[in-house]
Amino acid sequence: MHSDMPPRRLMRAEAVLAARRRDIAIVLEDTYDPHNMSAVLRTCEALGIQDVHLVAQRGVPARVNKDVAIGAQKWLTLHEHEDAASAIRALRQRAYHIYVSHLSADAIPLPELARPERAAYVFGNERDGVSPDWIEHSDTRFLIPTSGFTGSLNLSVAVALTLYDRLRLHAATDIEAGNLSERERAELRATWYKRLAHGSADLEQTYARYLNDPPTARPSFPNDRNAS
């Protein structure tokens, strides 16, 4: 055990790690608006989703708006794919059930969706929606019910509502918030501790001492803005 008090930011990091989950993933295809894409990253990070897949089906890579994301991308695992086919293969290899957001006649309303053990929720771009490959290879198509004249939602709002619905469902079944394996936690811990040192060699050395004996998780320090 460590004789000194663990750094507060590491205690906060352990609380975040304990809440992280990989049974839910978000997939964004050809997101043209960096504001929307960055808002999605911020939402995913805030709600404990670790994996976001970014698909550049039309050859235009996604760009993060740092003012909107406020650093969320640093704590996520971002998977970049050059097309839908490669993204689908990657999701299948990870045993994800593929849910595609699509306004089709056979789409199931979001609240009625079943909850598989692992699910990836796919969202197309703001103009054209998802590409045909996703429709062909989806396990289920879903929609978020609306009642207004516009009949559609902003991308970042749609993702937020989907995650809220899915996480609320998980909570109702008494599933723990976080579900990373010890190996996954260790890998993220090593990355996060280094980033929390903000380039200081001394802090990196100090934080590295806690990698094999991490501090007790503490979710917040309301009077200390430097804890994260």
Side-chain angles (χ1 to χ4, degrees):
M1 297 295 291
H2 304 295
S3 59
D4 56 324
M5 178 71 175
R8 289 185 170 190
R9 61 184 59 178
L10 300 191
M11 297 169 76
R12 173 65 183 276
E14 289 303 316
V16 175
L17 266 178
R20 274 297 199 261
R21 59 191 316 136
R22 279 194 150 139
D23 55 335
I24 296 174
I26 292 296
V27 182
L28 303 178
E29 182 182 49
D30 288 335
T31 305
Y32 298 127
D33 187 340
H35 183 284
N36 271 339
M37 190 270 284
S38 302
V40 169
L41 298 185
R42 181 173 174 178
T43 297
C44 288
E45 200 286 322
L47 294 179
I49 305 304
Q50 184 59 35
D51 295 287
V52 179
H53 294 254
L54 304 174
V55 184
Q57 179 75 9
R58 295 173 178 83
V60 181
R63 287 183 169 81
V64 176
N65 182 324
K66 295 181 179 179
D67 291 334
V68 177
I70 61 169
Q73 70 278 8
K74 296 187 300 182
W75 315 113
L76 297 171
T77 302
L78 301 180
H79 308 264
E80 298 189 17
H81 307 279
E82 63 182 8
D83 54 31
S86 60
I88 291 167
R89 285 195 299 271
L91 294 171
R92 293 301 189 199
Q93 288 171 358
R94 293 171 171 83
Y96 281 111
H97 184 106
I98 298 178
Y99 281 137
V100 174
S101 176
H102 190 253
L103 297 176
S104 56
D106 61 348
I108 299 174
L110 176 62
E112 299 176 17
L113 282 183
R115 180 185 55 79
E117 185 173 345
R118 292 171 65 81
Y121 298 87
V122 183
F123 298 84
N125 67 62
E126 300 86 343
R127 185 178 64 194
D128 303 316
V130 295
S131 59
D133 278 351
W134 289 109
I135 304 302
E136 180 181 352
H137 294 282
S138 66
D139 295 305
T140 306
R141 291 179 282 279
F142 76 97
L143 55 80
I144 300 173
T146 60
S147 57
F149 285 112
T150 56
S152 63
L153 296 165
N154 172 276
L155 172 64
S156 61
V157 173
V159 173
L161 288 174
T162 299
L163 288 177
Y164 177 78
D165 178 90
R166 301 289 90 186
L167 292 171
R168 182 183 61 81
L169 184 60
H170 280 234
T173 55
D174 296 324
I175 294 178
E176 295 181 2
N179 56 20
L180 299 184
S181 67
E182 287 302 320
R183 178 184 60 80
E184 289 172 325
R185 288 193 190 191
E187 290 174 352
L188 286 177
R189 181 179 292 118
T191 299
W192 290 4
Y193 279 20
K194 185 173 183 178
R195 287 177 179 165
L196 285 168
H198 300 297
S200 167
D202 289 340
L203 284 180
E204 282 189 29
Q205 185 176 15
T206 297
Y207 293 174
R209 300 205 315 267
Y210 292 90
L211 289 175
N212 294 323
D213 184 14
T216 301
R218 186 171 175 183
S220 64
F221 294 88
N223 297 320
D224 187 353
R225 291 178 177 271
N226 297 316
S228 61

